[in-house]
Each structure stands twice: as C-alpha cells, then as structure tokens.
C-alpha cells in the first residue's frame, strides 16, 4: 500500500536575525525526531548547501538572491524585492508547491507580501497575527498582536471568529473567547470594543465578556481578542516582565554564599519555572485570515524555537486552517 506523501513546507532561510544556520539546525532536529515533513529551503542555495554537513533526503532547495531585512519598509519590500527569500517562499504556497511558509523575517513585510500574494479569505478585511501565550493552568491564544494598530468593531468580531476556529482545533474543545479591555464592566472601553462585544453576545462564538490585562493569564479565557496596538503592547509587556522576574531571581540567589546555597536547593523548581516560561515553547505566530498558511517565527529565534514554528505550521496544514475559518464565518461548525 502506498504511503501518503509528506506535507511540504517552504522555509525562508535568509530572513531573521540569525539567518540560515538556525533553519539548518531546526530541520536537522525535526528529521532526527522522525517528522513526516518535506522542506523547501529558500535562500542562497550555494551558501546553505556548503554549510549543511548532511542534507536530509526530505530537503530540496529554491534559490533566492535577495533578502528582506528587518529595516526594510514593508511597501518597498513588496514592490522591489520580488526575488527575496520571503517572497519566493510565499509564492511557493500560492503555486501549490508548498502547503505553508515559515519565516523569521520582518513582520510588516511578511504580512504585506502574504496578503498581496495569497489574498484574504472572503469576509475577512485584514489578516491578524495570533500567538500562543502561557497561563496559570495552560495557555491561551491572542490576536491581533501587531498586524493592525487600529481596528473596527467588524474586524474585532472577525478576529474572534478566526481565533475560535484556530483554538477549537488545537484545543479539541469550544474555546472561551474574551475581548481585551480596560475593565470588565459593559460601560468600559472604546466604541469599537463595545460594539464588537454586543455583536459577539448574539453570535455563535463562545464569548465570555471583557478581560483585563491583569487577569488575562488567570485561565478564564482561551482566546483573547485585541487590536494590534493593544495586543502587541500586552505581549511585549509580558515578555519584559518575564525577563525582569528572571533578573530579580538571579540577583536574589547570587547575593551571598547563603543565597547561593538556597539557589542550589531551589534549582529543580527554578528549572521547571524556566521551562514553563521559556518563550521558545510558544514560538510561531500564525497569520490568520489568509488564503494560505504563513507562520511567523520570532526574529531572534534559535533552532528549538524555529522548530516549534515549523510544528505550528504543520498542525495548521493538518487542520486545513483557511477552510476551517471560512466555514466558521459562514456559520458552519
């Protein structure tokens, strides 16, 4: 009996802070774990091949002579860098040669190029960036975390529908959806948030109301919806707080000999805490709302984090995410 062909991912190997060495190491890690995935590595083929000790049989290459840098203006990248690794990788998704694209590159450029090439699902005004974040008892999904600085109530509603569609597949249950707001009372918030809330209350979405930044990680919601400005501020604040706590703990346990001894005793618990808060475990933000699958890895991601982004893309392929969102927008389950 013939085995089904593995899914194929296009990897933008040249973008991001660390470039193609991270992509090589991430692919090697996944191959060693036996993942049933084929990879099209897009970038400077000569450089990548020469740096790769043993190229796996599941890897092929597509050459791309240009690179979208982190400083490039998104519009300029879209118009002038049609041979960049980011653009070529997304083109492969459009052409059907790859089922998804993963890139650690310039977020604005990635969104602009993906929207231009792949277009949005009918009924979606703008794609959103959706990220997985830790909570006290698990994790939540938040969107938008940076693609759209300001949003209308219709767009917030669309984000809620998309977020529920993604989370229900990943969690295997009906997720609780909340709107990020400056208070939990109905009278709080701007008109866009209040209008979106009114619409969600009468929709099929499992809407549980407003949620504040201070209680967002208590486990009372599985999907948190926000405009890209508020969502990005919340995300960066969380990342900064985690680093601050780590710095405080390090200072506390290095203060003197007694503190160092206490640190050694507490080391197993501290290692568990570090693993739970490790941002690499949550790397891979989905650009939801597109007619195709694109996953954004953090620009400074190491191989472990980039591999997690690849795994996120693979899950979305298995769930046929764009089709799932389309059905939800049309009232289907």
């Amino acid at each position: 009996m013939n085995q089904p062909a593995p899914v194929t991912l296009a990897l933008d190997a040249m973008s991001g802070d660390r470039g193609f060495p991270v992509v090589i190491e991430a692919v090697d890690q996944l191959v060693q774990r036996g993942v049933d995935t084929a990879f099209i590595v897009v970038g400077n083929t000569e450089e990548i091949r020469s740096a790769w000790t043993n190229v796996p049989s599941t890897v092929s290459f597509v050459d791309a002579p240009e690179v979208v840098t982190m400083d490039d203006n998104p519009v300029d990248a879209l118009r002038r860098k049609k041979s960049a690794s980011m653009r070529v990788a997304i083109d492969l998704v459009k052409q059907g040669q790859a089922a998804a694209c993963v890139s650690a590159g310039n977020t604005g450029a990635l969104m602009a190029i993906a929207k231009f090439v792949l277009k949005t699902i009918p009924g979606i005004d703008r794609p959103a960036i959706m990220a997985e974040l830790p909570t006290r008892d698990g994790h939540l999904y938040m969107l938008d975390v940076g693609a759209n600085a300001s949003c209308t109530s219709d767009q917030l509603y669309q984000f809620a529908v998309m977020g529920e569609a993604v989370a229900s597949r990943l969690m295997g249950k009906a997720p609780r959806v909340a709107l990020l707001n400056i208070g939990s009372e109905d009278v709080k918030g701007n008109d866009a948030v209040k209008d979106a809330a009114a619409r969600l209350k009468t929709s099929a979405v499992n809407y549980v109301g407003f949620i504040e930044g201070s209680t967002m990680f208590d486990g009372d919601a599985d999907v948190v919806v926000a405009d890209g400005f508020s969502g990005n501020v919340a995300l960066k604040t969380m990342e900064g707080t985690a680093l601050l706590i780590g710095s405080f703990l390090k200072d506390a346990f290095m203060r003197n000999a007694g503190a160092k001894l206490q640190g050694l005793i507490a080391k197993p618990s501290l290692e568990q805490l570090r693993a739970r808060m490790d941002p690499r475990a949550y790397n891979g933000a989905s650009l939801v709302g597109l007619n195709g699958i694109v996953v954004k890895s953090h620009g400074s991601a190491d191989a472990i984090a980039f591999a997690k982004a690849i795994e996120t893309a693979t899950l979305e392929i298995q769930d046929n995410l764009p089709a799932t969102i389309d059905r939800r927008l049309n009232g289907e389950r």
Side-chain angles (χ1 to χ4, degrees), residues 153-237:
S153 60
D154 284 345
Q155 289 157 357
L156 290 174
Y157 173 79
Q158 293 166 15
F159 294 170
V161 173
M162 292 192 296
E164 186 190 46
V166 177
S168 64
R169 288 285 188 169
L170 296 175
M171 302 176 70
K173 66 176 185 178
R176 298 159 297 170
V177 180
L179 281 169
L180 184 65
N181 201 0
I182 58 174
S184 58
E185 301 87 352
D186 288 342
V187 296
K188 294 288 183 69
N190 57 35
D191 289 341
V193 170
K194 289 189 283 190
D195 290 346
R199 185 173 179 185
L200 286 168
K201 287 177 181 178
T202 61
S203 73
V205 174
N206 184 21
Y207 176 65
V208 296
F210 293 141
I211 196 166
E212 298 180 68
S214 60
T215 60
M216 191 169 70
F217 304 107
D218 288 350
D220 297 326
D222 304 304
V223 175
V224 175
V225 176
D227 62 72
F229 183 91
S230 303
N232 191 267
V233 169
L235 176 65
K236 296 293 176 60
T237 301

Side-chain angles (χ1 to χ4, degrees), residues 83-278:
S83 297
S85 55
M86 180 184 291
R87 175 63 177 268
V88 174
I90 294 173
D91 284 342
L92 290 171
V93 177
K94 174 67 173 180
Q95 296 159 7
Q97 296 183 51
C101 163
V102 181
S103 172
N106 181 318
T107 302
L110 185 68
M111 179 61 80
I113 294 170
K115 184 179 180 182
F116 176 80
V117 173
L118 300 174
K119 306 299 187 288
T120 57
I121 296 167
I124 297 296
D125 295 339
R126 300 178 183 176
I129 302 176
M130 181 171 175
E132 181 183 354
L133 303 174
T135 64
R136 286 184 180 179
D137 56 1
H139 56 265
L140 63 80
Y141 298 93
M142 187 173 184
L143 73 166
D144 181 22
V145 293
N148 308 283
S150 61
C151 297
T152 65
S153 60
D154 284 345
Q155 289 157 357
L156 290 174
Y157 173 79
Q158 293 166 15
F159 294 170
V161 173
M162 292 192 296
E164 186 190 46
V166 177
S168 64
R169 288 285 188 169
L170 296 175
M171 302 176 70
K173 66 176 185 178
R176 298 159 297 170
V177 180
L179 281 169
L180 184 65
N181 201 0
I182 58 174
S184 58
E185 301 87 352
D186 288 342
V187 296
K188 294 288 183 69
N190 57 35
D191 289 341
V193 170
K194 289 189 283 190
D195 290 346
R199 185 173 179 185
L200 286 168
K201 287 177 181 178
T202 61
S203 73
V205 174
N206 184 21
Y207 176 65
V208 296
F210 293 141
I211 196 166
E212 298 180 68
S214 60
T215 60
M216 191 169 70
F217 304 107
D218 288 350
D220 297 326
D222 304 304
V223 175
V224 175
V225 176
D227 62 72
F229 183 91
S230 303
N232 191 267
V233 169
L235 176 65
K236 296 293 176 60
T237 301
M238 186 202 75
E239 292 175 346
T241 301
L243 291 173
L244 181 64
I245 292 171
S247 177
F248 282 170
L249 286 171
K250 183 177 180 180
D251 290 345
F253 286 121
M254 295 298 290
R255 189 171 58 250
N256 52 49
K260 290 179 181 179
L261 178 59
Q262 292 173 345
L264 287 174
I265 296 171
K267 186 175 181 180
S269 296
L270 292 173
E271 290 295 336
Q272 290 179 4
L273 176 63
R274 179 183 297 175
R276 191 172 179 183
M277 297 179 66
D278 189 348

